[in-house]
Amino acid sequence: MDEKDIRILSAIAKQKTGSPDAIAEVSGIPKSTVHYRIQRLEEKGVITNDLLDVDLDKIGLSITLISEVWAEFKEGYHESVGEKLSEIEGVNQVYFTLGDTDFVVVSHLSSRQQVERLVERFEATDEIQRTSSTFVISTVKSESNAVADYELETLLDLLL
């Protein structure tokens, strides 16, 4: 990656669009170059989607639940338990962590009944020893693209 790639990624993150016109306008890089570079970043797997974000509250998935999961330690458990957690309906993110907690799981759900079903699924998984879940009262920040959290100059300093 070079400076143009970083400028394009920063523009995508800040503008929340993959439109070459909008990216060219913000980044100052010609539209044809932006188009070519985006294609190249997609081929390399750097860009992985088309940024079609959905407002979860507006579609009825307004409950965010953050769950800590403790699992039985054995060889490869981070993969096997992580996969089982990932397959539970309503689970959106699974992180294998270091420290007191084995996994952190983020779920977006529609009702308290769905929360109860999710916890029952956790309990039904043999390797899971215990869980602790927290309801999110209000979202202060939810940025899915970490690049948007950096100023362009910082990105250039860090990545070049």
Side-chain angles (χ1 to χ4, degrees):
M1 284 197 342
D2 62 10
E3 182 175 340
K4 285 182 182 176
D5 289 338
I6 294 170
R7 288 184 180 280
I8 290 167
L9 292 173
S10 179
I12 289 169
K14 296 270 194 305
Q15 299 300 308
K16 298 192 183 300
T17 182
S19 162
D21 290 326
I23 295 165
E25 186 176 321
V26 171
S27 69
I29 298 170
K31 178 181 165 184
S32 60
T33 302
V34 167
H35 180 75
Y36 165 75
R37 294 283 185 125
I38 287 174
Q39 265 187 323
R40 200 178 84 218
L41 290 167
E42 287 173 336
E43 288 168 3
K44 289 182 173 183
V46 175
I47 295 175
T48 59
N49 64 38
D50 292 332
L51 301 171
L52 298 174
D53 294 333
V54 174
D55 184 323
L56 297 176
D57 286 340
K58 288 184 179 174
I59 65 166
L61 296 175
S62 58
I63 297 174
T64 301
L65 191 73
I66 300 171
S67 303
E68 294 178 280
V69 177
W70 290 265
E72 181 181 326
F73 178 82
K74 58 179 146 179
E75 188 173 334
Y77 84 107
H78 65 287
E79 292 174 356
S80 61
V81 176
E83 189 154 321
K84 286 180 181 182
L85 289 167
S86 297
E87 292 171 357
I88 297 173
E89 188 172 40
V91 168
N92 307 108
Q93 299 166 347
V94 177
Y95 301 98
F96 175 60
T97 60
L98 294 176
D100 293 333
T101 303
D102 293 310
F103 297 91
V104 173
V105 177
V106 179
S107 307
H108 297 283
L109 309 166
S110 63
S111 66
R112 294 176 75 144
Q113 292 79 18
Q114 195 179 15
V115 171
E116 186 175 350
R117 284 193 298 272
L118 179 80
V119 171
E120 288 171 354
R121 290 287 310 274
F122 288 159
E123 292 171 350
T125 304
D126 291 336
E127 298 89 348
I128 294 177
Q129 294 176 331
R130 74 181 179 99
T131 65
S132 177
S133 295
T134 303
F135 281 91
V136 172
I137 301 299
S138 66
T139 302
V140 176
K141 180 179 182 179
S142 179
E143 176 56 60
S144 60
N145 189 336
V147 174
D149 293 325
Y150 291 92
E151 295 298 323
L152 176 59
E153 294 307 315
T154 304
L155 285 172
L156 292 170
D157 287 344
L158 292 171
L159 303 177
L160 290 180

Coordinates of all heavy atoms in Angstrom, one line a residue, residues 1-34:
M1 N 0.9 -1.2 0.0 CA 0.0 0.0 0.0 C 0.9 1.2 0.0 O 1.9 1.3 0.6 CB -0.9 0.0 1.2 CG -2.1 -1.0 1.1 SD -3.5 -0.7 2.2 CE -2.9 0.3 3.5
D2 N 0.4 2.3 -0.7 CA 1.1 3.5 -0.7 C 0.2 4.6 -0.2 O -1.0 4.4 0.2 CB 1.7 3.8 -2.1 CG 0.6 3.9 -3.2 OD1 -0.6 4.0 -2.8 OD2 1.0 3.9 -4.4
E3 N 0.6 5.9 -0.4 CA -0.1 7.0 0.1 C -1.5 7.1 -0.6 O -2.5 7.4 0.1 CB 0.7 8.3 -0.1 CG -0.1 9.5 0.5 CD 0.7 10.8 0.4 OE1 2.0 10.7 0.3 OE2 0.1 11.9 0.4
K4 N -1.6 6.9 -1.9 CA -2.9 7.0 -2.6 C -3.9 5.9 -2.0 O -5.0 6.3 -1.8 CB -2.7 6.8 -4.1 CG -2.1 8.0 -4.8 CD -2.0 7.8 -6.2 CE -1.3 9.0 -6.9 NZ -1.1 8.8 -8.3
D5 N -3.4 4.7 -1.8 CA -4.3 3.7 -1.2 C -4.8 4.1 0.1 O -6.0 4.0 0.4 CB -3.5 2.3 -1.1 CG -3.3 1.7 -2.4 OD1 -4.0 2.0 -3.4 OD2 -2.3 0.8 -2.5
I6 N -3.9 4.6 1.0 CA -4.4 5.1 2.3 C -5.3 6.2 2.2 O -6.3 6.3 2.9 CB -3.1 5.4 3.2 CG1 -2.3 4.1 3.5 CG2 -3.6 6.1 4.5 CD1 -1.0 4.4 4.1
R7 N -5.1 7.2 1.3 CA -6.0 8.3 1.1 C -7.4 7.8 0.7 O -8.4 8.3 1.1 CB -5.5 9.3 0.1 CG -4.3 10.1 0.6 CD -3.9 11.2 -0.4 NE -2.8 11.9 0.1 CZ -2.9 13.0 1.0 NH1 -4.1 13.3 1.4 NH2 -1.8 13.6 1.4
I8 N -7.4 6.8 -0.2 CA -8.7 6.2 -0.7 C -9.4 5.5 0.4 O -10.6 5.7 0.6 CB -8.4 5.3 -1.9 CG1 -8.0 6.1 -3.1 CG2 -9.6 4.4 -2.2 CD1 -7.4 5.3 -4.3
L9 N -8.7 4.7 1.2 CA -9.3 4.0 2.3 C -9.8 5.0 3.4 O -10.9 4.8 3.9 CB -8.3 3.0 3.0 CG -7.9 1.8 2.1 CD1 -6.8 1.1 2.8 CD2 -9.1 1.0 1.8
S10 N -9.1 6.1 3.6 CA -9.6 7.1 4.6 C -10.9 7.7 4.0 O -11.8 7.9 4.8 CB -8.5 8.1 4.8 OG -8.9 9.1 5.7
A11 N -10.9 8.1 2.8 CA -12.1 8.7 2.2 C -13.3 7.8 2.2 O -14.4 8.2 2.5 CB -11.8 9.1 0.7
I12 N -13.1 6.5 1.9 CA -14.1 5.5 2.0 C -14.7 5.4 3.4 O -15.9 5.5 3.6 CB -13.6 4.1 1.6 CG1 -13.4 4.0 0.1 CG2 -14.7 3.0 2.0 CD1 -12.7 2.8 -0.4
A13 N -13.8 5.4 4.4 CA -14.2 5.3 5.8 C -15.0 6.6 6.3 O -16.0 6.5 6.9 CB -13.0 5.0 6.7
K14 N -14.5 7.7 5.9 CA -15.1 9.0 6.4 C -16.4 9.3 5.7 O -17.3 9.8 6.2 CB -14.1 10.1 6.2 CG -12.8 10.0 7.0 CD -12.9 10.6 8.3 CE -11.7 10.9 9.1 NZ -10.7 9.9 9.4
Q15 N -16.4 9.0 4.4 CA -17.6 9.3 3.6 C -18.7 8.2 3.6 O -19.8 8.4 3.2 CB -17.2 9.6 2.1 CG -16.3 10.7 1.9 CD -17.0 12.0 2.5 OE1 -18.1 12.4 2.1 NE2 -16.2 12.7 3.3
K16 N -18.3 7.0 4.1 CA -19.1 5.8 4.1 C -19.7 5.5 2.8 O -20.9 5.2 2.6 CB -20.2 6.0 5.2 CG -19.7 6.1 6.6 CD -20.8 6.0 7.6 CE -20.2 6.2 9.0 NZ -19.2 5.3 9.5
T17 N -18.9 5.5 1.8 CA -19.3 5.2 0.4 C -18.2 4.6 -0.4 O -17.0 4.9 -0.1 CB -19.8 6.4 -0.3 OG1 -20.3 6.0 -1.6 CG2 -18.8 7.5 -0.5
G18 N -18.5 3.8 -1.4 CA -17.5 3.2 -2.3 C -17.6 3.9 -3.6 O -16.9 3.5 -4.6
S19 N -18.3 5.0 -3.7 CA -18.5 5.8 -4.9 C -17.2 6.4 -5.4 O -16.6 7.3 -4.7 CB -19.5 6.8 -4.8 OG -19.4 7.8 -5.8
P20 N -16.6 6.0 -6.6 CA -15.4 6.7 -7.0 C -15.5 8.2 -7.2 O -14.5 8.9 -6.9 CB -15.2 6.0 -8.4 CG -15.8 4.7 -8.3 CD -17.0 4.9 -7.4
D21 N -16.7 8.7 -7.5 CA -16.9 10.1 -7.6 C -16.7 10.8 -6.3 O -15.9 11.8 -6.2 CB -18.3 10.5 -8.2 CG -18.5 10.1 -9.6 OD1 -17.5 10.2 -10.4 OD2 -19.6 9.7 -10.0
A22 N -17.3 10.3 -5.2 CA -17.2 10.9 -3.9 C -15.8 10.7 -3.4 O -15.3 11.7 -2.7 CB -18.2 10.2 -3.0
I23 N -15.2 9.6 -3.6 CA -13.8 9.4 -3.1 C -12.8 10.3 -3.8 O -11.9 10.8 -3.2 CB -13.5 7.9 -3.2 CG1 -14.4 7.0 -2.4 CG2 -12.0 7.7 -2.9 CD1 -14.3 5.5 -2.7
A24 N -13.0 10.4 -5.1 CA -12.1 11.3 -5.9 C -12.2 12.8 -5.4 O -11.2 13.5 -5.2 CB -12.4 11.2 -7.4
E25 N -13.5 13.2 -5.1 CA -13.7 14.5 -4.6 C -13.0 14.8 -3.3 O -12.3 15.8 -3.1 CB -15.2 14.8 -4.5 CG -15.5 16.3 -4.2 CD -17.0 16.5 -4.1 OE1 -17.7 15.9 -5.0 OE2 -17.4 17.2 -3.3
V26 N -13.1 13.9 -2.4 CA -12.6 14.0 -1.0 C -11.1 13.8 -1.0 O -10.3 14.6 -0.3 CB -13.2 13.0 0.0 CG1 -12.5 13.0 1.3 CG2 -14.7 13.4 0.2
S27 N -10.6 12.9 -1.8 CA -9.1 12.5 -1.7 C -8.3 13.4 -2.6 O -7.1 13.4 -2.5 CB -8.9 11.0 -2.1 OG -9.2 10.8 -3.4
G28 N -8.9 14.0 -3.7 CA -8.1 14.7 -4.6 C -7.4 13.8 -5.6 O -6.6 14.3 -6.4
I29 N -7.7 12.5 -5.7 CA -7.1 11.6 -6.6 C -8.1 11.4 -7.8 O -9.3 11.3 -7.6 CB -6.9 10.2 -5.9 CG1 -5.9 10.4 -4.7 CG2 -6.4 9.2 -6.9 CD1 -5.8 9.2 -3.8
P30 N -7.6 11.4 -9.0 CA -8.5 11.3 -10.2 C -9.4 10.1 -10.1 O -9.0 9.0 -9.6 CB -7.6 11.2 -11.4 CG -6.3 11.8 -10.9 CD -6.2 11.5 -9.4
K31 N -10.7 10.3 -10.6 CA -11.7 9.2 -10.5 C -11.2 7.9 -11.1 O -11.4 6.8 -10.6 CB -13.0 9.7 -11.2 CG -14.1 8.7 -11.2 CD -15.3 9.2 -11.9 CE -16.3 8.1 -12.3 NZ -17.4 8.6 -13.0
S32 N -10.5 8.0 -12.3 CA -10.1 6.7 -12.9 C -9.0 6.0 -12.1 O -9.0 4.8 -12.0 CB -9.5 7.1 -14.3 OG -8.4 7.9 -14.2
T33 N -8.2 6.8 -11.4 CA -7.2 6.2 -10.5 C -7.9 5.5 -9.3 O -7.5 4.4 -8.9 CB -6.2 7.2 -10.0 OG1 -5.5 7.8 -11.2 CG2 -5.1 6.6 -9.1
V34 N -8.9 6.2 -8.8 CA -9.6 5.7 -7.6 C -10.3 4.4 -8.0 O -10.2 3.4 -7.3 CB -10.7 6.7 -7.1 CG1 -11.7 6.1 -6.2 CG2 -10.0 7.9 -6.5

